[in-house]
Amino acid sequence: MRRSSLSRCGTAALLTGVAALAAWRTATAAPPPEPQPDSGTTSSDVRQSPDEVRDYWTPERTKEAQPAPMPEDG
């Protein structure tokens, strides 16, 4: 009888240890990442034919085109 009591006690201690370890790992897990600030970029799903694009980008428009602003690191 004594042996089964020790066995039950050891099993209970082992299960308690496993539960404590699982709780500790959950509590120390990395928090979810913070949402990133809006970069200010936009997009749209406009479909134009290659001919429409070619007609739009006249030599004058191409010459006066400005590059889009790029986000700065920091």
Side-chain angles (χ1 to χ4, degrees):
M1 273 296 227
R2 183 167 168 80
R3 187 171 192 174
S4 64
S5 294
L6 288 177
S7 178
R8 276 188 246 153
C9 185
T11 301
L14 177 64
L15 290 176
T16 301
V18 169
L21 179 63
W24 174 77
R25 290 203 39 141
T26 301
T28 60
E34 303 254 341
Q36 296 295 314
D38 183 15
S39 65
T41 59
T42 60
S43 66
S44 59
D45 194 21
V46 176
R47 307 283 179 181
Q48 294 176 315
S49 72
D51 290 333
E52 289 174 312
V53 173
R54 198 172 16 260
D55 290 342
Y56 177 84
W57 285 107
T58 63
E60 294 80 23
R61 279 195 172 131
T62 303
K63 186 177 174 183
E64 295 179 12
Q66 297 290 318
M70 299 300 290
E72 295 179 13
D73 291 337

